[in-house]
Amino acid sequence: MTTKYAICNETFEGWHHERVCGRAAELGYTGLEVAPFTLAPRITDVTAARRAELRKQAEAAGVQIIGLHWLLAKTEGFQLTSPDAAVRKKTGEYLAEMARAAAELGGDVLVLGSPFQRNIPEGHTLAQAEDFALDTLGYTLKALEQSKVYLCLEPLTPAETNFMNTAAEGAAMCRRLAHPFVKLHLDVKAMSAEAAPTPDVIRANTEFFHHFHANDPNKRGPGFGSTDFKPIFRALRDVNYTGWVSVEVFDYSPDPDTIARESIRYMRECDAG
């Protein structure tokens, strides 16, 4: 099984899209994951012509735009868990626009992290927040089907949000939605906060597992911290994972080129071990 490596475009802060695609391809990545805020304040501001141009530039360089993440970051007025039905509808419909955009860019994945836009609203319970989230996502499902784009729910640590903190909770949400285009995303940094070791979390959550972020709990790339990725890649092989392994960092030091180059070098080393 040949691992498909991708990297998130915001890593290359300030670089033009065409340059990002070219350098990622040179380093051995075949996928590029895009944060919408790097393109425009809202995904709806990116015209069909611009989407086609971005896709063409990526493909000319030899990479595929695999989808979008940080879906609601740096936006206002959206909330997955809002008690307000109008806000839920607006948020769900915006996520539907994300699905259409991802497909037009050449991808089929949406990673729903966005911790600030999914906290349990004040005065409400976790159960109520889950119901609100399910209602919000109901407005997205038709677009997922039409675009053939998978919405991947991303559990995050309690330090980031108080909603959907474990892979098991993410899987439970997938189960309740019971939709073929709603899946589970696993992230190494997020899984590091779980009680079980990361490889065990991967093996225990295969039912909906569809997309994967490689990073270290220190917010840097694979190999830039203490996490040993050899057991992690072994677990990915054990569960026959065939999706993307996408590098996502939050600390952009020392520079984009070093992060991208050393991350893929280390991952290949671990994957071969």
Side-chain angles (χ1 to χ4, degrees):
M1 185 179 74
T2 304
T3 302
K4 301 186 299 183
Y5 294 108
I7 191 165
C8 297
N9 77 323
E10 75 278 4
T11 309
F12 299 87
E13 209 171 13
W15 289 31
H16 292 299
H17 176 70
E18 200 167 11
R19 183 186 174 200
V20 173
C21 295
R23 188 58 181 143
E26 286 172 2
L27 293 170
Y29 296 93
T30 53
L32 187 72
E33 194 171 323
V34 173
F37 63 78
T38 65
L39 305 179
R42 291 200 178 188
I43 200 65
T44 43
D45 298 331
V46 185
T47 65
R50 178 60 178 152
R51 293 174 189 183
E53 181 185 25
L54 292 166
R55 178 174 180 168
K56 186 177 178 182
Q57 288 174 342
E59 290 173 351
V63 296
Q64 175 192 346
I65 296 176
I66 65 173
L68 305 172
H69 76 139
W70 279 115
L71 304 182
L72 302 176
K74 302 190 180 185
T75 63
E76 291 183 4
F78 300 120
Q79 183 72 26
L80 188 72
T81 52
S82 175
D84 186 329
V87 173
R88 295 198 300 270
K89 182 172 187 287
K90 181 172 72 168
T91 303
E93 289 175 346
Y94 184 65
L95 292 172
E97 290 292 342
M98 288 278 183
R100 296 183 191 101
E104 288 179 20
L105 289 165
D108 65 357
V109 168
L110 295 178
V111 180
L112 184 55
S114 302
F116 299 120
Q117 290 86 5
R118 73 183 212 208
N119 280 326
I120 300 170
E122 195 173 342
H124 292 78
T125 65
L126 171 60
Q128 288 174 313
E130 288 173 346
D131 288 342
F132 293 151
L134 292 172
D135 181 58
T136 299
L137 295 178
Y139 295 101
T140 311
L141 301 180
K142 187 176 179 182
L144 297 175
E145 290 171 18
Q146 292 172 338
S147 304
K148 293 184 168 52
V149 168
Y150 293 88
L151 179 70
C152 299
L153 307 182
E154 181 179 27
L156 293 169
T157 73
E160 296 161 293
T161 181
N162 59 10
F163 183 78
M164 198 165 58
N165 299 127
T166 67
E169 289 171 351
M173 289 288 287
C174 290
R175 211 166 280 119
R176 285 189 67 186
L177 275 161
H179 192 278
F181 283 93
V182 177
K183 299 291 185 181
L184 178 67
H185 169 89
L186 296 178
D187 175 285
V188 175
K189 179 174 73 69
M191 285 187 284
S192 71
E194 297 223 18
T198 294
D200 292 352
V201 176
I202 292 170
R203 291 188 181 96
N205 289 279
T206 58
E207 185 180 357
F208 300 101
F209 179 28
H210 190 79
H211 192 56
F212 186 79
H213 276 165
N215 45 31
D216 191 272
N218 67 6
K219 301 186 177 181
R220 301 183 70 191
F224 286 84
S226 59
T227 302
D228 181 1
F229 271 73
K230 284 183 181 177
I232 291 171
F233 274 100
R234 200 172 302 126
L236 293 177
R237 285 195 297 273
D238 288 348
V239 302
N240 298 312
Y241 178 69
T242 57
W244 294 92
V245 172
S246 189
V247 173
E248 181 195 38
V249 303
F250 305 89
D251 178 345
Y252 302 134
S253 60
D255 60 84
D257 207 70
T258 302
I259 294 166
R261 184 182 66 250
E262 291 304 307
S263 290
I264 196 168
R265 181 199 61 75
Y266 174 74
M267 290 190 298
R268 282 173 165 164
E269 182 184 297
C270 293
D271 198 13

